[in-house]
Amino acid sequence: MSLDDASSDVIYLSSLALSANIGPDRWGRPRTQPLSLSVAIHLRDAALCPSPRPSYSSVTDSSGGLDASACAGALAEDIIAMCEKPSTKWDSAAVLAMGVALLAAHRTEGRARELRVTVSAPEAVPLAKEYAVEFIGYAQALGSQQTKSTGSRVKVRVRDLVIPAVIGTTQTEREAKQLVAADITIFERPSQVHFADYPMVFNKLSQNAEVSEYTTLEKFALELVKEICLWSDAIEKVSVRVAKPSTLTSENVTGVQICRPRSAFLTSGKLRFL
């Protein structure tokens, strides 16, 4: 379900700027860092009712329906107060996203059906333009805090992660490392919210790639997919798109994208080496 879904009422906050401590930044220092947070609250049928005078003191109007302006305003205030409270620390971006989803479920007074929260942390992963975590949860499950048994899930993505690697079949190609830009998306299994330290995983990937050699860009991408998939059984599948930055300056960009489920590297519960 997304904001393009026309089957339900939706209240959303887009790119709310705030600061919070979600663990180490790109320099390995656990401190407050800038974040961008977006929320999409998919509501039960006909939950929204227009109100001529929104008031942040109440999210319902005289007819008992939700007032989108009041709800969004109150939620934004709650999120900022929760995230920027002195000495507050979150174990990860996913934990923060789930906390925001709980807030949103409470603010919509039982009228929410599904909640999606995306936390973007531009300073979490070295040599990457964006690191973002999306938490998807059902309001009923969040209300009972049973996120691991009722379909909650996490999607993680990193964009334009620059990795130096030796890629090629000729001696000339293998004389020096080339810079490769990778977009990586990790899909966790439903009901297995892992809240892993994915920035650490991406850093480890870069370190391993720097001391390895690959014959083709496809092999490079597949090795990244395999390494991430086998990192945790909470991972359902991984998609990696890679391209050499030298090709990005042209109008016709060339690269490859490989997507595999974790099961592609397993045989009867054991690791399958490709």
Side-chain angles (χ1 to χ4, degrees):
M1 185 182 297
S2 67
L3 290 179
D4 295 328
D5 176 27
S7 65
S8 68
D9 296 347
V10 182
I11 296 174
Y12 62 91
L13 295 173
S14 181
S15 302
L16 180 65
L18 48 85
S19 297
N21 187 335
I22 57 170
D25 59 14
R26 66 177 65 185
W27 297 280
R29 297 175 295 189
R31 64 185 182 90
T32 298
Q33 56 184 292
L35 305 174
S36 176
L37 193 146
S38 298
V39 184
I41 309 168
H42 294 262
L43 303 167
R44 300 184 186 280
D45 294 343
L48 288 179
C49 291
S51 174
R53 294 184 180 180
S55 170
Y56 289 178
S57 61
S58 175
V59 297
T60 57
D61 65 7
S62 58
S63 65
L66 281 175
D67 185 304
S69 299
C71 184
L75 179 60
E77 291 180 351
D78 287 349
I79 292 172
I80 293 173
M82 179 181 71
C83 293
E84 299 189 345
K85 184 179 179 180
S87 302
T88 299
K89 180 180 178 181
W90 305 88
D91 290 338
S92 69
V95 175
L96 172 58
M98 187 176 72
V100 171
L102 283 164
L103 264 181
H106 173 72
R107 265 293 175 186
T108 50
E109 301 177 358
R111 293 174 174 84
R113 179 157 52 95
E114 180 182 294
L115 301 105
R116 290 176 173 251
V117 179
T118 301
V119 177
S120 178
E123 295 186 1
V125 178
L127 301 179
K129 284 189 177 179
E130 180 189 36
Y131 168 71
V133 175
E134 182 183 22
F135 172 83
I136 305 105
Y138 295 97
Q140 183 177 4
L142 289 168
S144 60
Q145 297 191 20
Q146 310 224 341
T147 57
K148 290 192 176 183
S149 60
T150 46
S152 296
R153 65 188 304 164
V154 167
K155 182 171 71 175
V156 179
R157 68 177 183 270
V158 65
R159 183 170 62 88
D160 286 346
L161 175 63
V162 179
I163 303 174
V166 174
I167 300 177
T169 55
T170 68
Q171 183 60 35
T172 301
E173 289 177 313
R174 303 174 76 83
E175 285 179 352
K177 294 177 181 177
Q178 305 176 54
L179 296 179
V180 180
D183 293 343
I184 302 172
T185 305
I186 300 171
F187 302 85
E188 289 196 351
R189 296 181 184 278
S191 306
Q192 291 194 26
V193 180
H194 195 255
F195 303 144
D197 184 2
Y198 284 112
M200 179 273 292
V201 175
F202 295 131
N203 291 338
K204 187 67 174 177
L205 283 177
S206 298
Q207 294 170 10
N208 291 345
E210 285 191 55
V211 297
S212 303
E213 296 184 358
Y214 309 90
T215 53
T216 64
L217 204 58
E218 294 92 315
K219 180 63 174 176
F220 174 77
L222 183 60
E223 287 297 322
L224 293 184
V225 170
K226 176 183 175 182
E227 188 171 346
I228 299 171
C229 280
L230 298 182
W231 183 77
S232 170
D233 61 7
I235 293 173
E236 180 178 54
K237 64 180 177 180
V238 175
S239 174
V240 171
R241 176 183 297 174
V242 294
K244 297 178 183 179
S246 59
T247 67
L248 300 180
T249 58
S250 65
E251 292 184 1
N252 298 317
V253 175
T254 59
V256 299
Q257 176 174 301
I258 292 181
C259 182
R260 296 286 189 277
R262 187 174 188 271
S263 59
F265 306 102
L266 303 174
T267 302
S268 300
K270 297 181 179 180
L271 300 186
R272 176 192 299 167
F273 295 98
L274 300 184

